[in-house]
Amino acid sequence: MKLYEYQAKEILRAHGVAVPDGIAADRNEILNEPDAFHERLKQLNASAYVVKAQVHAGGRGKAGGVKITRNQEDVLPLARAMLDLTIKGLPVRRIYVEAAVDLAHEIYVSFLFDREKSTYSVMCSGRGGVDIEEVARSNPEDVVRISLDPFTGLKPFHLREILSLLPHSGETARALSATILRLYAAFVETDAELLEINPLVVTGDGKVFACDGKMLLDDNALFRHRDFLDFEDLGALDPMESAAREAGLSYVKLDGQIACLVNGAGLAMATMDVIRHFGGHPANFLDIGGSAKASVVENAMGLILEDKAVKAIFVNIFGGIVRTDEVARGVLAAVDRFEITLPLVIRLVGTNDREALAMLRERGFDALNEMNPAVEKAVHMAAPSGG
Ligand code: GDP
Ligand code: MN
């Protein structure tokens, strides 16, 4: 799950990282409740303001999504204008206004996974604020990347190596070390996949602030962080993906014609392989999960039908915990509710399959026990001359 800057900063603040004071406001508040917005703005009490578009993308500064003003009266017009921007194809629906800090030095710091080495890694550069890939290309000696053993973590000798790259000493160096340690703790404790601060700022008087924050959380660890679920912006997802998420389904749109409704990610992948083997192209990857109820199957069918490229539907269920008769009931309910006329092939095997197959065949559907003939049939039906 991608976080917006203001959400990442909320997490960082809770981990003791110094972050400028700020207020987030959505489109409705900025356009329709300017008085409430001004009330909140007044509490910021800053000598200058940074107005920042909240989108799931970096490089906002270059795209006009970061503006600085000394005048509080300018904040609202700047925020309004920013709502009309599209940054890297993403509409701006929320604005964050911060008390500006005096940035004497911009540093780059990030924590991420190194999947090859099975470690975490920390990257740092004294040339922050700009595109770090560019710095890594032109001045690789200015970027340090250190592997961190997840069991022992970030140690003083790592911090010394990082600080040797930076021109700071004394109190400022200590503040930087403390901040980098807290960032690491935030990264680990939130089960983040990425935490990137660019820039981490040192002010003229030696204070350290995280002025930007990019954070990716591991969706598979969200069950340990129920409070983070509120961070999810369903409106920012593709409409079908968000509908799937709300229904508890895992759905990925692909570019073929055969819709697949499968239980379990492993079976979903095997199904797509077999479809390709027989010359077909899957239209999606839809995993209804491990203990699908008829209502879940019904919703999943509804979702599949939203995709106008679909020419045939293939249901492939392995009934372990899942009862295949329950799935069959869901399929039939969907056929009735959505008046499905597309070719439909159903392969069911496992718990209660005899009853399930009988139920489907009674209604005239192609219901099979074996995978290969079922896939072949679906591929044939989806073909331009099919049926
Ligand atoms: P990004 O372009 O999406 O990475 O957005 P950032 O939040 O990193 O902002 C872009 C740039 O705006 C930063 O690199 C800074 O140079 C500048 N900036 C951001 N916050 C402040 C601030 O509080 N004061 C000043 N003077 N500049 C800022
Ligand atoms: Mn940045």
Side-chain angles (χ1 to χ4, degrees):
M1 178 165 91
K2 287 182 187 169
L3 297 187
Y4 290 111
E5 174 193 7
Y6 77 94
Q7 297 169 330
K9 283 178 168 172
E10 204 173 289
I11 290 178
L12 295 181
R13 219 174 261 128
H15 280 83
V17 175
V19 172
D21 289 335
I23 59 165
D26 63 10
R27 171 176 289 271
N28 179 52
E29 180 173 0
I30 292 164
L31 297 180
N32 304 325
E33 298 160 14
D35 294 341
F37 179 73
H38 262 287
E39 270 318 299
R40 294 170 63 216
L41 195 56
K42 270 192 219 150
Q43 289 165 10
L44 269 190
N45 187 25
S47 56
Y49 303 85
V50 193
V51 183
K52 311 182 83 174
Q54 299 297 292
V55 285
H56 288 142
R60 295 165 300 161
K62 281 189 198 148
V66 178
K67 299 276 185 200
I68 300 182
T69 177
R70 293 197 170 279
N71 189 349
Q72 201 182 72
E73 295 305 310
D74 288 344
V75 170
L76 188 63
L78 281 172
R80 284 200 167 148
M82 229 171 246
L83 288 175
D84 291 333
L85 292 180
T86 305
I87 298 177
K88 298 193 176 157
L90 302 168
V92 178
R93 296 155 62 240
R94 223 175 250 106
I95 304 288
Y96 190 49
V97 184
E98 273 187 340
V101 300
D102 138 43
L103 71 198
H105 181 199
E106 295 183 68
I107 295 167
Y108 174 96
V109 187
S110 68
F111 293 93
L112 58 151
F113 281 0
D114 187 331
R115 295 187 193 274
E116 254 164 51
K117 294 187 186 153
S118 304
T119 62
Y120 296 138
S121 78
V122 55
M123 266 171 80
C124 181
S125 172
R127 295 160 61 117
V130 293
D131 184 359
I132 195 67
E133 273 101 44
E134 191 50 50
V135 178
R137 261 193 300 276
S138 59
N139 299 73
E141 69 285 0
D142 288 343
V143 181
V144 63
R145 180 174 179 151
I146 308 169
S147 293
L148 303 174
D149 183 323
F151 292 103
T152 50
L154 183 68
K155 292 288 160 195
F157 68 91
H158 295 128
L159 289 166
R160 275 196 294 278
E161 187 176 345
I162 291 168
L163 285 165
S164 71
L165 205 70
L166 307 174
H168 304 286
S169 58
E171 208 43 58
T172 307
R174 274 192 286 281
L176 276 168
S177 292
T179 301
I180 294 170
L181 270 172
R182 286 176 184 151
L183 291 171
Y184 177 71
F187 170 76
V188 173
E189 285 164 23
T190 56
D191 290 300
E193 292 183 346
L194 170 75
L195 173 59
E196 182 185 71
I197 311 298
N198 188 24
L200 179 68
V201 163
V202 178
T203 62
D205 53 3
K207 294 210 168 64
V208 176
F209 286 98
C211 281
D212 192 5
K214 181 174 174 184
M215 202 164 186
L216 274 179
L217 300 178
D218 181 353
D219 289 345
N220 295 316
L222 282 177
F223 72 95
R224 291 204 282 227
H225 308 281
R226 304 308 293 185
D227 44 331
F228 292 168
L229 290 175
D230 293 340
F231 284 141
E232 181 129 69
D233 182 5
L234 290 170
L237 291 174
D238 166 90
M240 282 180 69
E241 284 186 14
S242 77
R245 192 76 69 91
E246 260 171 299
L249 306 165
S250 127
Y251 172 88
V252 180
K253 162 115 181 79
L254 302 169
D255 53 13
Q257 300 77 39
I258 303 175
C260 308
L261 190 153
V262 179
N263 67 326
L267 183 58
M269 285 190 275
T271 302
M272 292 194 294
D273 283 348
V274 178
I275 288 176
R276 292 301 296 253
H277 175 76
F278 286 110
H281 297 276
N284 69 278
F285 175 113
L286 196 156
D287 174 7
I288 59 172
S291 59
K293 290 268 167 290
S295 61
V296 174
V297 175
E298 193 180 332
N299 288 334
M301 294 282 273
L303 195 71
I304 278 174
L305 294 167
E306 299 277 311
D307 180 355
K308 298 304 164 212
V310 169
K311 296 278 176 285
I313 302 172
F314 180 48
V315 178
N316 190 8
I317 301 294
F318 179 82
I321 297 168
V322 173
R323 286 170 37 199
T324 62
D325 58 320
E326 182 80 13
V327 172
R329 254 185 286 279
V331 169
L332 292 174
V335 166
D336 293 338
R337 177 166 146 209
F338 304 112
E339 298 172 2
I340 296 176
T341 51
L342 286 169
L344 179 60
V345 180
I346 305 133
R347 183 263 182 151
L348 303 166
V349 68
T351 313
N352 296 356
D353 58 357
R354 215 173 294 174
E355 188 187 338
L357 293 174
M359 212 153 65
L360 291 162
R361 285 176 186 151
E362 200 170 297
R363 292 276 311 263
F365 289 103
D366 280 311
L368 303 162
N369 226 182
E370 296 271 330
M371 175 131 153
N372 285 359
V375 172
E376 266 191 284
K377 196 159 228 167
V379 170
H380 175 69
M381 288 180 148
S385 59

